[in-house]
Amino acid sequence: MRLSNSESEAGQLRRITPGGVSSPVRAFKPFPLVIDSGQGCRITDIDGNDYVDLCMAYGPLIVGHSCPRVAKAVRDQTKKGSVFGAPSHPETKLLEKITSTVPSAEMCRMAVSGTEATMHAVRLARGYTKKNGIVKLNGGFHGAHNTVLVAAGSGSVNGTPSSLGVPEDDVRNTYLVEYNDAGMFESLLDRNEDIAGIIMEPVMGNVGVVTPKKGYLAEMRKITKEHGALLIFDEVITGFRLSAGSAQGRFGVTPDLTTMGKIIGGGYPAGAFMGKREIMEMVAPNGPVYAAGTFAGNPVSAAAGLETIDIMAEKGRYDSLEKKTQTLVARMRDALEDSGVRGCIQSIASMFSIYFGVDEVTNGSDAQKADRDMFAEMFDYMLHHGVYLPPGPMEVEFMSAAHDEEACEKIAKTFEGFLKQVKK
Ligand SMILES: Cc1ncc(COP(=O)(O)O)c(C=O)c1O
């Protein structure tokens, strides 16, 4: 496989941008590939190598790269203009769609990214409850703003910043609990009356895929209600991925606030936070909680997001995507078991993740025990055999409506090939 063009451009990038990437998860050794194009479930690098894509830009592309219908919606909108700094028709239609589909969304406010959405939701929770404390999950990622940038680590203790430049004061009111442990959360709320709410992914997607134990989400709903704290579901990954009603629709648990990003922009930058009318009415200009953005509700992103959501709303789309994913995952699990290599594959709907060296992952602490070196070996093998995974072991493999049988066969065969050459 010739990679000289990528190698040279990656070198150029390293000189002009930190690590040669615009977001740290994209970096890998010896150098990240520079991508030229994407079509359906495949991408092509600038040396002309093709890959079946399982990264899918970390989640937005549920209908695949360069989906013709999404591309047309974008073309049609760009002919009319790209941003107005005023309400626009695509934004109205997307807001209508979200508020009529997502159970918690009585009202919704658009933003530009998932980071912005969670930043605004956290501020809103604090403003509405007039409390300061925010609880997050060990291993939960909600973007790159101060309150949620707290080191993973077990124990319901105040966090320490996980980045230089985050003042300790900014995370003094951030508390950590483990996923799938409602008791730990309840005892924190019993001890502390200043908790505005918890921000959590209903299905964890930043320590690989970790699903809720039976009754856990309902229990979190009950506990927050009893303690006057808000339940915020961060559905930046799971929004419009787990079902049309997102994770909350699938599990039948309605949070007070929800954040989204990724799919609602159909491959273009977008974010949104939404929730109960009474809470959302606190947002400026109606109320005293500030949220704003030049590009918020961008009409091009809205047109792309709307088309994506409409495609997935067609009968049978979610079911067939899930079936295809689960057939692939079952085959990969069989291969893993037959190989004798210790590990597990966790999955829901069209997301899955592969862990080595552990049998099950139920929370952020478990995920830390997985064998990262083995993952890196697999990543390298898959890449050199034409399957592009997200480089990090704590990321999710994303399937899309565009993944065809040939692609699934290639993923499974390549994974089997990797397992065969693992030295035990
Ligand atoms: C659950 C979750 N929340 C928030 C974010 C931040 O979103 P963005 O990268 O659009 O700022 C991410 C990003 O991957 C995410 O996975």
Side-chain angles (χ1 to χ4, degrees):
M1 182 183 273
R2 206 179 76 100
L3 294 173
S4 52
N5 291 342
S6 269
E7 183 169 18
S8 144
E9 194 158 323
Q12 181 190 357
L13 280 164
R14 268 197 303 274
R15 284 191 294 281
I16 52 182
T17 190
V21 287
S22 294
S23 190
V25 290
R26 299 177 198 171
F28 61 85
K29 292 211 169 1
F31 51 86
L33 303 183
V34 180
I35 304 303
D36 180 54
S37 62
Q39 197 70 53
C41 68
R42 293 175 178 81
I43 50 175
T44 305
D45 68 20
I46 57 169
D47 288 282
N49 303 301
D50 294 325
Y51 307 84
V52 172
D53 192 6
L54 275 175
C55 177
M56 299 305 286
Y58 297 89
L61 303 175
I62 194 164
V63 295
H65 291 276
S66 310
C67 168
R69 280 175 58 181
V70 175
K72 179 174 184 314
V74 167
R75 270 197 314 276
D76 291 350
Q77 181 54 43
T78 49
K79 275 187 216 149
K80 294 176 161 184
S82 61
V83 62
F84 306 117
S88 67
H89 203 46
E91 183 186 1
T92 312
K93 289 209 286 198
L94 181 59
L95 284 165
E96 260 311 328
K97 183 71 67 182
I98 290 173
T99 51
S100 62
T101 319
V102 179
S104 67
E106 290 172 16
M107 291 183 98
C108 175
R109 167 58 72 81
M110 298 307 297
V112 182
S113 66
T115 295
E116 263 191 23
T118 64
M119 180 182 74
H120 290 141
V122 163
R123 183 181 302 139
L124 179 56
R126 285 172 159 158
Y128 177 77
T129 59
K130 315 268 187 320
K131 294 177 183 175
N132 295 305
I134 288 292
V135 186
K136 72 177 283 291
L137 300 172
N138 175 22
F141 178 71
H142 307 289
H145 58 94
N146 286 5
T147 301
V148 292
L149 267 186
V150 171
S154 58
S156 56
V157 293
N158 292 52
T160 47
S162 62
S163 164
L164 280 184
V166 176
E168 298 236 338
D169 269 359
D170 283 16
V171 295
R172 196 158 41 86
N173 293 304
T174 304
Y175 300 84
L176 296 172
V177 294
E178 288 287 358
Y179 187 67
N180 273 324
D181 189 345
M184 187 178 194
F185 177 57
E186 187 164 29
S187 79
L188 170 65
L189 291 194
D190 286 342
R191 292 195 311 273
N192 191 328
E193 290 188 346
D194 191 35
I195 300 289
I198 178 166
I199 182 161
M200 58 177 288
E201 291 175 273
V203 169
M204 289 190 93
N206 284 283
V207 285
V209 176
V210 185
T211 53
K213 286 186 183 155
K214 201 166 184 299
Y216 167 67
L217 296 177
E219 188 67 8
M220 295 299 277
R221 177 64 285 184
K222 185 166 152 275
I223 295 166
T224 40
K225 240 187 203 143
E226 283 169 1
H227 288 76
L230 299 189
L231 179 63
I232 310 169
F233 276 176
D234 182 353
E235 296 226 43
V236 167
I237 289 179
T238 53
F240 290 96
R241 179 164 285 277
L242 292 204
S243 74
S246 304
Q248 54 199 266
R250 187 171 175 127
F251 290 105
V253 174
T254 306
D256 299 296
L257 291 174
T258 301
T259 55
M260 289 198 185
K262 302 206 192 250
I263 288 174
I264 60 165
Y268 293 78
F273 61 105
M274 60 204 77
K276 290 204 172 104
R277 184 172 301 279
E278 183 193 335
I279 306 173
M280 293 300 293
E281 289 283 13
M282 295 278 290
V283 176
N286 285 13
V289 177
Y290 196 66
T294 301
F295 290 99
N298 179 265
V300 179
S301 299
L306 190 65
E307 192 62 33
T308 300
I309 291 170
D310 279 348
I311 294 171
M312 288 309 295
E314 288 166 7
K315 200 168 180 301
R317 287 275 190 184
Y318 279 102
D319 287 347
S320 72
L321 175 53
E322 178 155 350
K323 200 164 154 225
K324 176 167 63 182
T325 306
Q326 295 311 314
T327 304
L328 172 64
V329 165
R331 179 164 164 194
M332 292 172 74
R333 280 188 181 132
D334 285 349
L336 188 60
E337 195 178 326
D338 292 349
S339 74
V341 173
R342 188 174 175 204
C344 60
I345 302 176
Q346 300 199 166
S347 177
I348 184 167
S350 53
M351 304 158 59
F352 69 93
S353 58
I354 305 162
Y355 303 91
F356 293 108
V358 291
D359 301 321
E360 191 190 15
V361 174
T362 62
N363 59 30
S365 289
D366 287 351
Q368 293 309 319
K369 296 175 196 147
D371 184 341
R372 287 165 179 263
D373 292 342
M374 175 82 98
F375 185 92
E377 271 176 45
M378 175 188 68
F379 169 78
D380 196 58
Y381 182 95
M382 301 287 274
L383 191 73
H384 285 90
H385 291 79
V387 179
Y388 188 90
L389 303 179
M394 297 292 121
E395 301 291 347
V396 170
E397 276 64 57
F398 288 105
M399 293 281 284
S400 77
H403 280 74
D404 49 31
E405 255 179 50
E406 196 186 320
C408 293
E409 184 64 25
K410 167 115 185 150
I411 295 164
K413 274 249 160 64
T414 312
F415 184 61
E416 287 159 4
F418 166 71
L419 292 169
K420 276 203 188 92
Q421 50 84 66
V422 171
K423 290 189 194 71
K424 287 172 218 119

